[in-house]
Each structure stands twice: as structure tokens, then as C-alpha cells.
Amino acid sequence: MKTMTAIIEKASDGGYGIYAENGAPVFGSGLSEDEARKEFKACLKEQAEYMKERQGGYPDWYAEDLQVEYRYDMTGFFLAFPFINVTEFAKSLDINPSLMRKYKSGIAKAGEKQKDMIQRKFDDIVSRLSAVRF
């Protein structure tokens, strides 16, 4: 089974954009995340069929049982979860709030080391939240 990673980001129109991380010519967009995911999946199949017709076989990035793993970039994350206060979130991760706002708006991009650190601390928050019972 093949897996493709797709990145969800905030589109220039304020909606959602999704692209294939591996460089496959597959994109989706929509005013809602669900709409963008549906368009991405449709584009995925259409591009694979088109390339099969043109080249005699499916492209390397496609398989009938292809699974898509969606990930957010910072802009897409804060768009999808608008109730998260960027400043307080940054403080909880020990990141400069001004820098986190730049990540949120897309003015700055976190490097791999910074993204890994954010992910580890975020995973810790999720773990703590999963233990909450009311």
C-alpha cells in the first residue's frame, strides 16, 4: 500500500489549499477543508488516469490502494482550529509569540528542527488533553 502525504495550508483567498508533498501534480482548494479534500482526491484520480492514458501506465506516485495522509502547515493548522489562541499556544511551546504569529500568517516558515520541536511539544499537549475526563 502506498501512502502520499498532502499538506493543508491557508489559501490566498482565505480558504484551504492542499498539495502533494512529493511533487505530484495534484492540488485541491476550497472554502472549507472538506471541500478542498474532496477536490484533492478528485484531482488525484484524474491526474493518475490522464498520465496512464498519455504514458501507458500509472505514475510512480499512484496506486489503486493509495492512502493519503493529511498534514497541516502552520497556516492551515490555525485556520482549521481558530479557537486556539496563537500567543498562548506559543507560550505553552516556549516559542516567541511574535514568531508564532509569523508562522500563522505565512510570513515565516519553521525549519525542520523547529517543526520537530513544535511537533514534540504539541504531541505532549495532545497526550495531556486525551487524559481529561469530565
Side-chain angles (χ1 to χ4, degrees), residues 47-125:
Q47 283 292 348
E49 290 297 331
Y50 173 77
M51 293 177 90
K52 181 182 176 187
E53 287 176 22
R54 300 277 294 183
Q55 300 172 354
Y58 286 117
D60 292 340
W61 50 262
Y62 183 77
E64 290 288 337
D65 63 347
L66 180 69
Q67 296 293 312
V68 178
E69 178 182 288
Y70 293 96
R71 295 187 178 191
Y72 294 98
D73 77 350
M74 292 289 181
T75 63
F77 173 75
F78 287 108
L79 179 63
F81 303 99
F83 55 86
I84 295 177
N85 179 293
V86 179
T87 299
E88 294 304 319
F89 183 67
K91 288 177 185 176
S92 72
L93 299 177
D94 296 322
I95 294 175
N96 181 306
S98 177
L99 179 59
M100 184 61 81
R101 286 190 292 276
K102 288 178 182 176
Y103 292 159
K104 175 188 176 189
S105 66
I107 293 172
K109 300 266 186 204
E112 288 303 314
K113 193 173 181 181
Q114 182 81 331
K115 285 194 284 188
D116 289 343
M117 183 274 299
I118 291 169
Q119 186 67 55
R120 281 192 312 276
K121 290 183 177 186
F122 181 75
D123 289 346
D124 180 56
I125 291 169

